[in-house]
Amino acid sequence: MPSQCLANHRERSISAPLSKKTRRTDQSDSLGFKSDSLLERGFRAGGAGRGREEFVRVSWDDAVSLVATELTRARNSYGAASIFPGTADWQSVGLLHNASGLVRRFLGLQGGYTDCTGDPSVAAAMVILPYVVGSSEVYDEQTAWPVIEANTTLLVLLGADLLKNNQIGTHPADHYAYGALSKFKNKVQSGHAKAVSIDPRTTDTATFLGARSIHPRPNTDTALMLGLAYVLYHEGLYDSQFVARYTVGFDKFLPYLNGVTDGTPKTPSWAASITGVDMKAIIELAHDMAKHRTMIISGYAIQRADHGEQAYWMLITLSAMLGQIGTPGGGYGLSYHYDNGGDLVAHAPTLSGIPGIENPVKTALPFERFTDMLLNPGTHVPYNGKTLVYPDIRLIYYAGGNPLTHLWQTNKVLEAWRRPETIIVQDPFWTATAKYADIVLPVTTTFERNDIDFCGAYSSQYFVAMKKVIDPLFEARSDFEILSAVAGRLGLSRQFTDGKDETAWLRSFYDGARQQGSSQGIKMPTFDEFWNVGFCEFQIPTASRSFVKHKAFRDNPALHPLGTPSGKIEIYSAAIASYNYADCPPHPTWLEPVEWLGDKKAQRFPFHLLSPHPRYRLHSQLDNTWIRAWYEVNEREPAWINPADAQARGIANGDIIRIFNERGEILAGAMVTDRIMQGVLALHEGAWYDPANPAKDNTMCKHGLANVLTMDKGASKLSQGNIANTTLVDVEKFAGNPPPITAFTNPRVLRRSLKQ
């Protein structure tokens, strides 16, 4: 953990990182800058030295002054839109110490900033679904698990690994899904239900449930579902009455399905030629789906691909043709793999966190275009029926994230990262992002501060007191303390803190919920009683156990319409048709991805790389801990490779392998397993970036960061979502002595001032 304020050496003088290895006793010799000319030269020097130069320790007082000075300079010189706070990344839980929220509150008070929209996890879905079903749905309440346990007889998992991904949550997780999955497993084992997993991998969930696995080529889910829909329609297995009453546009989709508009009927044979799935398996699955009470559970991964909007649109169209939307245990669900979706919702008041401040700057761009924005200021970009203009970003203030691991096509990211004049990072650890910053401020971990949160993102069954375990180590401060100090330097202390310290804010959150609860007949202890006990529990109403998504719409679509223009499921969207986007037609369509195994490019790069979420990390969090010993192979991120592919390339389990394409190259550790289909590699995202030669551009990552290989391209002009799962690569056994891992080595820190 950075432990003291430091500043960058040579041309760049604006910096404040802290050495993880420095003991508290070393703090007495902390020095700051004495030369104004050095500071002035710093922001003009450009970013060429980022990630390559030393840091210099400065005092907290000097660090706060540096931050305040740079923010004022950027705002006065270029306007508020030149400042960017990054995305609202996964970070520590807690309703006060929300790093990205606090930065936005502070910057809003100072005059505004360029913000980002959407969510990198579900960017394509969040844009397409309001056109189809009237809301984003990806975070909505799902049909309750007890309803599935009682009624579902066919559970179809489409790129969803519930067992692995429900370990984590945006708030403290209650892990309800695990008991529910165990009950459904018993139903499968007793012969009263079946499970099917559609995924290039044999997932943990598929293995646990004993599911039949269907392995399509990556990025061909839309073609597979079109083949299923063709069978349903031509064999009279689709619910024509449901389609007529609850949807619009089927008549415009049908000519495409039957090949009238393009000369290609979407037959099972056609789908098999694209997906690699046997035609008989497609027909059998269509029959099973029509015959059973079918719940289709999709993960987010299928829409993190080129034309990712089409997969979700086709999923809902297929569900509508089955006619089971709004029935107990039927239809579709989009977040059972996320935050324990399907959990039972408690009768609880809302526990709110620190409020935001209205942003005076109205410019907001899809976060996936972050890199493109830095490289191409002033460019006009189509997005969701509008045209956006990239601002000229001169200062980045990033807290609670690690974009140099998170963003796609790392070498392009590094090029863009050198464009802003100043980059400020707040973090507890020496991430790649911190190493490539100018000012780095050491932040406390969850264990070093008090906070409050609710447990269960869907259930809210508990409020929990997140009590500090230890006092802050070294010179670390909380995000709230740091931003309060900077706000104070700018004359905004009262507005930022509202006159409250940490405890007062937590008390206000709880008391506000308690007052709301009282009006709803919910009795809660006082804040002091709650804090002493550590939690507060709320009751689960009986009605929560029988919740069915879209039941009200099914029962009375006139009284409970969807939020679409028609109030119904829109299989055809007139709004999208009006945009005339060639890469997003107005109904579900199979469009070839920019890279896939059916493309000529696969002759050069014959493997499709998937980068799913890791089992033992939350993205890149915890990669810098001893937990690495649980999963790494030869100190590298493990890459799944099929035994036949490994044998053909002379690769054995445990070998260090080189994975590469025209965008970059990485080293990884081979994990030879039949749980991945031939022609596909799986490399979990989130390994810390570790360049073989930081002084050189486009260098190899020796630790195995998947995003070195992914492509920075929007899914379509509609969503501009990321396409992390659209990546072709090649692989070979690494020859020679593997370079040592330095991802977790701190940068050099000078313990003297540059000028006395």
Side-chain angles (χ1 to χ4, degrees), residues 714-735:
S716 77
K717 293 176 182 176
L718 185 78
S719 74
Q720 296 289 355
N722 76 81
I723 62 168
N725 284 320
T726 301
T727 304
L728 289 182
V729 298
D730 201 355
V731 61
E732 64 185 12
K733 184 175 179 177
F734 178 71

Side-chain angles (χ1 to χ4, degrees), residues 27-38:
Q27 306 309 306
S28 58
D29 63 345
S30 181
L31 296 170
F33 288 119
K34 299 293 182 67
S35 169
D36 291 335
S37 62
L38 191 62

Side-chain angles (χ1 to χ4, degrees), residues 263-504:
T264 304
K266 310 309 178 291
T267 64
S269 176
W270 168 85
S273 69
I274 292 172
T275 64
V277 176
D278 184 75
M279 179 182 70
K280 293 181 180 178
I282 296 174
I283 296 171
E284 180 185 355
L285 179 58
H287 291 168
D288 275 353
M289 294 173 87
K291 182 172 59 178
H292 288 86
R293 178 57 59 87
T294 301
M295 173 62 77
I296 306 174
I297 291 178
S298 176
Y300 297 156
I302 66 170
Q303 54 86 61
R304 286 196 292 268
D306 202 21
H307 314 303
E309 303 91 349
Q310 303 303 316
Y312 267 26
W313 202 347
M314 189 59 220
L315 166 63
I316 294 171
T317 300
L318 179 63
S319 296
M321 292 179 69
L322 290 169
Q324 298 183 28
I325 295 172
T327 62
Y332 66 93
L334 304 179
S335 64
Y336 285 96
H337 69 294
Y338 170 84
D339 252 335
N340 294 269
D343 202 346
L344 307 182
V345 178
H347 181 45
T350 300
L351 184 63
S352 300
I354 191 165
I357 298 293
E358 183 178 358
N359 183 6
V361 177
K362 302 308 176 185
T363 303
L365 298 127
F367 177 73
E368 284 76 9
R369 299 293 84 219
F370 175 90
T371 300
D372 202 39
M373 172 185 69
L374 294 182
L375 290 171
N376 302 291
T379 299
H380 290 68
V381 182
Y383 171 62
N384 199 13
K386 302 177 182 178
T387 299
L388 305 177
V389 180
Y390 287 152
D392 188 1
I393 300 299
R394 300 302 184 103
L395 184 147
I396 296 175
Y397 199 139
Y398 223 109
N402 189 10
L404 263 62
T405 291
H406 176 180
L407 291 169
W408 311 273
Q409 199 169 338
T410 305
N411 287 318
K412 183 178 177 182
V413 175
L414 288 171
E415 179 188 355
W417 197 251
R418 302 191 189 284
R419 296 298 181 91
E421 294 178 350
T422 306
I423 295 177
I424 304 166
V425 168
Q426 291 179 189
D427 204 282
F429 306 108
W430 274 117
T431 64
T433 303
K435 291 178 181 178
Y436 280 77
D438 304 315
I439 303 174
V440 181
L441 307 172
V443 180
T444 53
T445 64
T446 305
F447 306 109
E448 300 165 276
R449 61 200 185 207
N450 293 309
D451 216 321
I452 189 172
D453 212 332
F454 55 90
C455 180
Y458 287 97
S459 71
S460 295
Q461 189 174 2
Y462 301 91
F463 289 176
V464 290
M466 300 173 58
K467 299 181 182 181
K468 181 174 67 174
V469 177
I470 58 173
D471 289 330
L473 296 175
F474 312 115
E475 291 185 86
R477 296 181 179 180
S478 72
D479 294 288
F480 178 75
E481 291 175 305
I482 294 170
L483 291 164
S484 296
V486 180
R489 197 62 56 93
L490 295 171
L492 298 170
S493 177
R494 179 72 187 186
Q495 296 95 314
F496 180 76
T497 66
D498 200 25
K500 302 185 185 80
D501 61 9
E502 179 183 76
T503 302

Side-chain angles (χ1 to χ4, degrees), residues 32 90 118 254 285 295 299-300 364 404 471 486-487 506 516 569 592 612 649 661 666 720:
W90 284 84
L254 191 57
L285 179 58
M295 173 62 77
Y300 297 156
L404 263 62
D471 289 330
V486 180
L506 302 185
Q516 180 193 111
I569 297 169
E592 286 198 34
R649 281 164 170 70
N661 58 22
I666 66 170
Q720 296 289 355

Side-chain angles (χ1 to χ4, degrees), residues 648-681:
R649 281 164 170 70
I651 295 171
N653 193 58
D655 282 347
I656 294 178
I657 55 177
R658 174 178 171 259
I659 308 175
F660 58 96
N661 58 22
E662 71 268 31
R663 292 180 290 275
E665 59 181 330
I666 66 170
L667 297 184
M671 180 176 288
V672 180
T673 174
D674 59 6
R675 291 181 60 185
I676 191 77
M677 65 183 288
Q678 280 188 253
V680 179
L681 303 177

Side-chain angles (χ1 to χ4, degrees), residues 230-251:
Y230 189 93
V231 175
L232 295 178
Y233 179 77
H234 284 275
E235 295 192 17
L237 299 175
Y238 85 107
D239 191 332
S240 59
Q241 293 183 346
F242 183 92
V243 170
R245 186 181 185 195
Y246 298 99
T247 77
V248 296
F250 186 73
D251 58 326

